Amino acid sequence: MARLLAIGECMVELGDAGSGLLRKGFAGDTLNAAYYARTYLPTPFDVAYLSAVGTDLLSEEMLAFMAGKGIVTEDVRQIEGAAPGLYMIHLKDGERSFSYWRSASAARRLADDAAHVRSAIEKADTIVFSGITLAILSPDARETLILELRRARAAGRRVVFDPNIRPRLWEDAATLRSVVEAGARAATVLLPSFDDEQAHFGDADPEATIARYRQWGAETILVKNGSGEARLAAGAGDIVGIAPPKVETVVDTTSAGDSFNGAFLAKLLTGVPPAEAAAFAARVAAAVIAHHGALVPPAHLPQP
Ligand code: ADP
């Protein structure tokens, strides 16, 4: 049995259901990626989540939701008195914006216990985390998590990092850059989005993003680029372009990058060559943005 472990925060999502009513859901970047990986991985593979929630009813519901999607929750710590983070989606003239209540969420404590992090990582072959995962942690917990990920990499595990840069979550720009660099140095596979990298590291083009992450030690780098060509550098190989399918009507871009990551990893874990895995991931992301919501049901997604 092989296991993919995603590390991060799942939040309660409140979306407009009309007439002043709100619809409750659950989502978060790494959880979304885990959902898409689970959708495409054959059964002998496990997909597990490492996070922290509370012991309240909403936390129990969240755990049941994950389990219902086939995600193993044994490494989600339950902290007495804590509660999950929450965000609300506002829709105005077709544009989405978000309000967050996550500053005191249980997930911020997901890496406070080094022994727990280590035991969860040791059960996995591939570990995926993001810049959001790092941003929400205390400085000490960031160090703990990065240290454990470096150990995992040294032990031969595949460590996957999406910098997924959200400046509002970071205390300042210098910390953002230095912690993202430390995260990248712990990883073997990098899945950045070019617009983020350009804005925060000043990369002129996706090739510059690849060069920087190569210098920091990544083996495989796949730079997502919205409707533009993604760029893949696998090992010492040449950089190849992956053109995404044309999407006539973009309905909701939520989870474009997360679904891309999950589908790419599912293929990579089953031995599909990286370029083929990336082309498949682009097809999945194209389907996801043509539908509403972060977690698009399998019936609307490409066949494996
Ligand atoms: P993020 O959502 O993380 O910011 P991107 O905007 O780069 O990341 O999108 C991630 C992936 O989703 C892209 O690499 C591409 O495959 C797909 N994608 C995003 N926007 C479009 C689009 N307009 N048309 C087709 N594919 C898209």
Side-chain angles (χ1 to χ4, degrees):
M1 186 187 72
R3 173 173 286 189
L4 169 68
L5 175 72
I7 307 179
E9 174 166 33
C10 176
M11 286 170 290
V12 178
E13 177 192 272
L14 295 180
D16 199 339
S19 314
L21 298 174
L22 293 170
R23 180 178 291 109
K24 180 173 60 182
F26 299 98
D29 68 332
T30 46
L31 194 271
N32 304 344
Y35 166 84
Y36 289 100
R38 179 66 285 169
T39 300
Y40 287 111
L41 275 169
T43 5
F45 286 87
D46 249 4
V47 177
Y49 203 52
L50 167 54
S51 189
V53 296
T55 51
D56 58 324
L57 279 178
L58 204 49
S59 296
E60 296 290 351
E61 245 182 71
M62 184 182 278
L63 288 171
F65 175 84
M66 291 180 199
K69 300 293 180 200
I71 295 167
V72 177
T73 59
E74 65 190 23
D75 296 316
V76 180
R77 276 171 67 213
Q78 285 195 272
I79 301 170
E80 188 71 46
L86 179 150
Y87 70 100
M88 195 167 144
I89 307 168
H90 311 279
L91 200 60
K92 193 167 178 258
D93 307 327
E95 284 291 314
R96 288 156 63 98
S97 63
F98 302 87
S99 298
Y100 290 93
W101 294 266
R102 72 193 302 186
S103 57
S105 70
R108 290 187 177 260
R109 290 150 69 182
L110 70 88
D112 284 3
D113 178 352
H116 175 259
V117 173
R118 183 172 303 182
S119 84
I121 286 178
E122 280 176 351
K123 288 182 280 180
D125 308 278
T126 300
I127 301 107
V128 58
F129 71 113
S130 78
I132 295 179
T133 310
L134 294 174
I136 62 169
L137 303 179
S138 70
D140 281 354
R142 282 177 190 154
E143 248 180 64
T144 300
L145 180 58
I146 289 171
L147 189 71
E148 294 305 328
L149 290 165
R150 288 198 346 229
R151 281 172 54 95
R153 178 181 175 156
R157 292 181 165 83
R158 186 191 272 126
V159 179
V160 184
F161 181 48
D162 178 351
N164 214 359
I165 298 172
R166 297 288 179 273
R168 277 203 309 182
L169 288 177
W170 291 94
E171 44 273 57
D172 56 68
T175 308
L176 176 171
R177 282 193 293 269
S178 73
V179 177
V180 166
E181 176 176 346
R185 286 184 185 276
T188 54
V189 178
L190 257 292
L191 301 175
S193 283
F194 178 63
D195 52 356
D196 289 351
E197 305 298 317
Q198 184 174 45
H200 301 284
F201 287 96
D203 297 342
D205 49 34
E207 281 69 19
T209 305
I210 288 176
R212 183 165 47 79
Y213 284 119
R214 259 191 175 149
Q215 199 191 325
W216 291 347
E219 291 159 10
T220 301
I221 302 148
L222 176 51
V223 183
K224 293 163 278 180
N225 195 13
S227 59
E229 261 198 2
R231 288 279 203 286
L232 169 72
D238 290 340
I239 295 173
V240 295
I242 315 285
K246 260 217 154 25
V247 179
E248 293 303 336
T249 313
V250 176
V251 171
D252 177 2
T253 58
T254 308
S255 209
D258 308 335
S259 61
F260 186 102
N261 294 352
F264 177 69
L265 290 177
K267 290 294 173 187
L268 209 60
L269 264 62
T270 46
V272 171
E276 205 181 303
F280 181 73
R283 284 179 53 215
V284 172
V288 166
I289 63 176
H291 291 89
H292 279 290
L295 308 179
V296 173
H300 298 305
L301 299 173
Q303 291 293 309

